[in-house]
Amino acid sequence: MPTLVCAYQAYEWHDTCLSHIIFKALIQRNCTKLGNQAMPEDSADNIALEAEAYFNRNKLDSGYQKLVDSYQFLERYIKNENSQFLEIGCGDGKNVYTFTSKSNCQYHGIDLSKSAINEAKKTFPKHSFSVAGADEIPYENACFDVIYLGFFLYLTPIERLTQIVQEVDRCLKDEGFVAITDFGCLFPHTKDYQHMPSLKLQKYNFEAMFCGFPQYTLIEKRTDSGKEQFSNHHQWITTSVLQKNKNGFPHYHSEGSITDPYNN
């Protein structure tokens, strides 16, 4: 499987920021079209319904392993059995083995699908599962070492993204990691969602939501696809990893020297 690995360099920061600017323009354009209209009251219900439908459609998904291959490398960010790991969009817990097989970490999962969570609780009774969304994470402040947003942001209404960033930041420990798997894209755009016309599928470099804050640094990004789709960017799956550091940017002393917060 071809893999593109991007180190965090200045040019990538520029591309990420540019993508963020374009996305903000799209938001403004959409808000102009909507005027003062509020988000439909049933939008949350629609997302919950699609979560249930997605679980039922993908129970026996033969392509699941290909998706796992795109983010299995994340296990190296999980230090040991004391690490607290949260997967948002965990489904029926298929990723439990992926993230616990080596570290035996403390795995937690949340998903909007009640059926998926019930299945996960039956299959993995030693782990914690809850019916919840990314915009209302049912955990205390600063309790996770790694938070994984697993392939659901593409259906999240734009209006909720800010709240999701706030919730993830609230629950993530200092020096913890945020990982995001979603559709890759060359430029931000939306399209009709074939499974539910009332929802829109949006493609965006979602790590840019965090890169806009100085306490987050993009440290790794991979784009995977099957050989037959490698030249088709519509089929790309991207996984990004960011690290949180409350100190933010390196500190400059009065004499001009610099302190590296990562002690490199």
Side-chain angles (χ1 to χ4, degrees), residues 184-239:
C185 69
L186 295 178
F187 55 90
H189 64 279
T190 63
K191 58 185 297 187
D192 294 333
Y193 184 57
Q194 60 177 339
H195 299 294
M196 185 174 286
S198 59
L199 296 177
K200 290 292 184 181
L201 186 153
Q202 56 193 21
K203 293 187 177 182
Y204 172 57
N205 295 317
F206 288 103
E207 70 275 6
M209 300 188 305
F210 292 90
C211 287
F213 298 93
Q215 66 265 40
Y216 284 95
T217 302
L218 179 64
I219 60 175
E220 186 169 7
K221 181 174 181 179
R222 297 190 179 196
T223 299
D224 298 317
S225 68
K227 292 181 179 179
E228 65 278 6
Q229 288 97 17
F230 188 64
S231 61
N232 182 2
H233 66 87
H234 296 292
Q235 301 296 324
W236 289 356
I237 302 296
T238 296
T239 298

Side-chain angles (χ1 to χ4, degrees), residues 136-189:
E136 292 186 24
I137 301 175
Y139 289 95
E140 300 295 328
N141 296 348
C143 59
F144 291 107
D145 299 284
V146 181
I147 297 180
Y148 175 53
L149 287 70
F151 210 69
F152 67 87
L153 289 174
Y154 67 94
L155 284 181
T156 302
I158 291 174
E159 299 89 338
R160 296 190 177 191
L161 295 178
T162 301
Q163 179 65 21
I164 289 174
V165 172
Q166 181 177 335
E167 278 291 274
V168 170
D169 181 68
R170 178 183 66 81
C171 294
L172 186 66
K173 295 179 181 178
D174 189 28
E175 299 186 358
F177 298 96
V178 178
I180 304 170
T181 294
D182 219 289
F183 286 113
C185 69
L186 295 178
F187 55 90
H189 64 279

Side-chain angles (χ1 to χ4, degrees), residues 42-54 56-57 112 196:
D42 62 350
S43 63
D45 293 334
N46 286 339
I47 295 172
L49 287 173
E50 172 52 23
E52 290 288 343
Y54 182 91
N56 291 321
R57 286 197 308 269
L112 288 174
M196 185 174 286

Side-chain angles (χ1 to χ4, degrees), residues 97-142:
Y97 291 131
T98 300
F99 296 124
T100 64
S101 60
K102 291 185 178 181
S103 66
N104 197 29
C105 68
Q106 304 301 307
Y107 176 98
H108 306 259
I110 63 174
D111 198 282
L112 288 174
S113 169
K114 295 181 180 179
S115 300
I117 290 299
N118 288 336
E119 188 70 23
K121 288 180 177 180
K122 293 178 183 178
T123 309
F124 307 101
K126 293 183 179 181
H127 298 285
S128 173
F129 295 95
S130 304
V131 177
D135 54 349
E136 292 186 24
I137 301 175
Y139 289 95
E140 300 295 328
N141 296 348

Side-chain angles (χ1 to χ4, degrees), residues 169 173-175 213-217 243-252 259-263:
D169 181 68
K173 295 179 181 178
D174 189 28
E175 299 186 358
F213 298 93
Q215 66 265 40
Y216 284 95
T217 302
Q243 186 171 31
K244 177 180 179 179
N245 190 294
K246 289 183 179 179
N247 293 327
F249 296 129
H251 176 68
Y252 281 91
T259 300
D260 183 352
Y262 303 107
N263 297 316

